[in-house]
Amino acid sequence: MAKQLDYHTLREIFTRFQEAEAEPVGELDHVNVYTLVVAVALSAQATDAGVNRATKELFKIADTPQKMLDLGEEGVIEHIKTIGLYRNKAKNVIKLSRILVDDYGGEVPNSRAALESLPGVGRKTANVVLNMWWRHPAQAVDTHIFRVGNRSGIAPGKDVDAVERAIEDNIPVDFQLHAHHWLILHGRYHCKARKPMCPTCIIRDLCQYEDKTQ
């Protein structure tokens, strides 16, 4: 685990991320906040591209909780069976849709606790939804952020909760809205798990990762 980088280094890192891409966006396709919740829930142990292929037709016919209930669990399975854990995920999609209809009038709540009470929605999913839809500076720590945070020193921590706290505590507030997207994209396309692209990395001189020769 790298040592936590100081304020001035973090400010320079995120200034570079911002200059490279001022408005980073998530890569999961959605048409409203409900389909965003479903897409993020489906993305566990699956790629965004795979989820997008599975939901392309699904969201055309089921873009509200009630429409999803009308489609039914077997109908959902038919659309998402190409992604991992599809049976359990379909079950959760129907369950969360039922709760939204019965307890929230078909609307998606916008508190972390309420979102986390939905089947298949954990803290990471809730944070993604709060950030992407309501522009709350919530930090959704996935495997990419965990790796980048620990490898670089941007946000080191022994588990995802510790990394989330390190981001919130150390990254300057004016960068926090987009912080998790910048880190995800950096981890997905540059600071890769097996072959990090150090020679072309825009923060190479500021990163604490020892092996910068690959």
Side-chain angles (χ1 to χ4, degrees):
M1 184 187 302
K3 181 181 177 181
Q4 175 67 59
L5 294 171
D6 63 53
Y7 174 85
H8 299 291
T9 302
L10 288 173
R11 175 160 286 283
E12 176 60 25
I13 285 172
F14 282 90
T15 295
R16 294 182 190 182
F17 284 155
Q18 186 177 59
E19 289 173 347
E21 188 166 7
E23 292 286 334
V25 295
E27 298 183 324
L28 284 172
D29 294 337
H30 58 282
V31 296
N32 54 32
V33 65
Y34 168 70
T35 55
L36 176 60
V37 171
V38 172
V40 180
L42 293 176
S43 70
Q45 299 182 47
T47 65
D48 287 359
V51 172
N52 289 340
R53 286 192 296 271
T55 59
K56 182 178 181 181
E57 297 303 319
L58 174 64
F59 290 161
K60 289 180 181 179
I61 60 175
D63 59 356
T64 69
Q66 187 58 58
K67 289 179 182 177
M68 196 69 75
L69 291 174
D70 294 341
L71 181 61
E73 187 174 325
E74 289 303 316
V76 175
I77 286 175
E78 282 302 306
H79 285 280
I80 70 168
K81 61 186 178 182
T82 55
I83 63 177
L85 307 174
Y86 66 91
R87 290 192 181 278
N88 191 55
K89 289 178 179 179
K91 190 172 298 183
N92 282 335
V93 167
I94 292 299
K95 285 181 178 179
L96 73 84
S97 298
R98 172 54 63 192
I99 292 172
L100 291 176
V101 169
D102 291 348
D103 298 346
Y104 296 97
E107 301 295 324
V108 175
N110 65 350
S111 79
R112 184 182 285 114
L115 286 167
E116 285 191 64
S117 73
L118 301 173
V121 177
R123 186 177 181 87
K124 185 184 78 170
T125 298
N127 281 347
V128 171
V129 175
L130 291 172
N131 182 281
M132 288 181 63
W133 194 261
W134 282 288
R135 297 182 70 79
H136 175 69
Q139 307 302 328
V141 179
D142 69 351
T143 183
H144 297 299
I145 292 182
F146 187 79
R147 179 176 66 255
V148 173
N150 278 290
R151 184 183 272 173
S152 66
I154 291 173
K158 66 182 187 318
D159 54 37
V160 294
D161 291 336
V163 171
E164 180 181 336
R165 183 62 59 205
I167 294 172
E168 293 176 344
D169 289 350
N170 293 285
I171 293 175
V173 169
D174 48 316
F175 295 118
Q176 293 224 0
L177 178 60
H178 295 311
H180 97 273
H181 275 131
W182 281 319
L183 292 172
I184 287 172
L185 294 173
H186 190 65
R188 183 174 291 165
Y189 298 112
H190 298 283
C191 194
K192 300 177 182 180
R194 295 185 179 181
K195 292 186 178 181
M197 300 166 65
C198 296
T200 58
C201 177
I202 63 173
I203 63 167
R204 180 180 182 180
D205 58 316
L206 305 173
C207 172
Q208 291 196 38
Y209 184 49
E210 293 182 357
D211 186 359
K212 298 181 181 180
T213 62
Q214 296 186 46

